[in-house]
Amino acid sequence: MTGAVLGGRRVPVPDQTGRTVVVTGANSGTGRAAARRFAAAGARVVLAVRNPAKGADALAEIRAAWPEARAEVRVLDLADLASVRAFADGLGRDAGHLDTLVNNAGISIPPERYATADGHELQWGTNFLGPFALTNLLLPLLLAAPAPRVATMCSYAANQGRIDFDDLDWERREYRPLPAYAQSKLADLHLARHLAEVAGRRGWPLVSTAAHPGLTRTNLQVTGPSMGKDEPVRWGSGLLPMADPEDGVGALLVAATGHDVVQGAYYGPRYGLAGPPRRALLNRRMRDDATGARLWAVAQEVTSTALPAARS
């Protein structure tokens, strides 16, 4: 198995032999594409999925293409903090270290306010609180690796995001699906950037980055909008061209594997919604480090997770 470019505009993945990688949402879309690329490059890949049957299908696809691939499916429901903790505990028992965590899974734009198992607004809980808790809980495994990486998937919608500390769960305002989604993805960017700041301050070898896929055709545009509907609903007009997941995952792969990535940097398509990966611009709210630190403190309290103790 090699890390060669698989075709077209697809970015190369460096050799991952000997590295263990967790990809959340690996049963479809960009997560499935990322898991395939990591397996092709020689990594041991953990497909972290909510639906075991769909995970088994993704695993079968990997093994059909690369019979010697080291890959497995583990159940993870980011909308249930007990599931997040169970996943982290299980991986901690079975793995001595974790080299790369790819926070890819998410949900977008349900037609009304739904709640997670813990009572949080579904997009806030699935897109931010779940990945946040997972990252915190897996940090001891990551810090046991020589060169750990955390890459967190954001969204172009984060450009419109605003963090409302008075109503993070959309309980007091009229629910608006797209602003709620934008808030959750801006929070993901703060997660990545604040983790990078902590790693630098504490002298950790960990590199934390973020990425967005531009406009990529995945189940994300169907699963959320179709909730509560008798027939599938696809978000968007369909008039804009969309990349397929194998191309749309490019920025995430750069963030997770690139040799020259910058600590805390944000990557996305060159032209915003499309194009080859490059550094993405950060607007003023994205650069608000005070908000990032405050959000981290709030999320630790809400999820009952914490950073590993600083070494003296």
Side-chain angles (χ1 to χ4, degrees):
M1 292 181 288
T2 70
V5 178
L6 297 187
R9 295 160 290 171
R10 295 164 193 174
V11 300
V13 174
D15 182 26
Q16 299 290 299
T17 301
R19 294 182 67 84
T20 298
V21 180
V22 168
V23 180
T24 68
N27 61 282
S28 67
T30 53
R32 188 166 182 149
R36 284 172 50 85
R37 297 295 300 279
F38 275 110
R44 174 198 171 195
V45 185
V46 178
L47 289 77
V49 302
R50 186 173 60 87
N51 186 313
K54 292 182 179 179
D57 180 69
L59 179 61
E61 181 181 72
I62 288 173
R63 288 183 171 161
W66 302 283
E68 297 181 0
R70 295 181 303 149
E72 62 178 289
V73 173
R74 292 186 181 231
V75 174
L76 170 65
D77 184 352
L78 291 168
D80 184 344
L81 292 173
S83 174
V84 174
R85 191 171 293 276
F87 176 91
D89 288 346
L91 193 65
R93 287 192 300 269
D94 299 336
H97 70 277
L98 175 62
D99 296 281
T100 304
L101 170 61
V102 180
N103 285 319
N104 165 81
I107 190 168
S108 71
I109 319 178
E112 59 187 81
R113 187 188 185 281
Y114 289 89
T116 69
D118 306 283
H120 300 288
E121 188 273 319
L122 185 63
Q123 296 185 96
W124 184 245
T126 304
N127 296 347
F128 173 64
L129 291 178
F132 175 90
L134 181 67
T135 301
N136 253 355
L137 292 169
L138 291 180
L139 275 173
L141 277 183
L142 285 159
L143 295 176
R149 306 280 288 262
V150 177
T152 300
M153 183 69 99
C154 298
S155 168
Y156 193 76
N159 286 285
Q160 284 73 51
R162 287 172 170 78
I163 306 297
D164 185 350
F165 285 102
D166 293 326
D167 194 17
L168 293 171
D169 274 308
W170 288 81
E171 295 174 310
R172 302 173 185 176
R173 295 168 284 172
E174 178 184 358
Y175 185 64
R176 298 170 62 201
L178 186 54
Y181 177 68
Q183 176 184 250
S184 72
K185 301 314 287 184
L186 175 59
D188 282 338
L189 186 53
H190 282 306
L191 184 166
R193 285 174 49 79
H194 189 72
L195 179 59
E197 188 276 328
V198 170
R201 176 160 35 92
R202 295 193 177 188
W204 291 347
L206 182 143
V207 173
S208 173
T209 53
H212 77 85
L215 200 56
T216 298
R217 186 174 298 279
T218 71
N219 286 347
L220 202 66
Q221 291 104 23
V222 177
T223 304
S226 298
M227 294 183 69
K229 306 292 185 180
D230 293 330
E231 298 292 336
V233 176
R234 177 172 287 277
W235 177 81
S237 66
L239 298 179
L240 292 174
M242 290 187 175
D244 64 39
E246 292 288 346
D247 287 326
V249 76
L252 184 63
L253 291 175
V254 168
T257 70
H259 289 309
D260 57 352
V261 298
V262 177
Q263 176 73 292
Y266 186 33
Y267 296 88
R270 180 181 182 88
Y271 305 110
L273 295 179
R278 62 170 293 176
R279 286 281 296 273
L281 297 177
L282 298 168
N283 66 27
R284 177 180 55 82
R285 290 186 298 275
M286 293 171 175
R287 299 192 307 270
D288 186 349
D289 294 337
T291 290
R294 181 183 177 188
L295 186 61
W296 189 282
V298 169
Q300 286 199 139
E301 182 176 357
V302 168
T303 63
S304 299
T305 64
L307 290 166
R311 298 172 183 174
S312 57

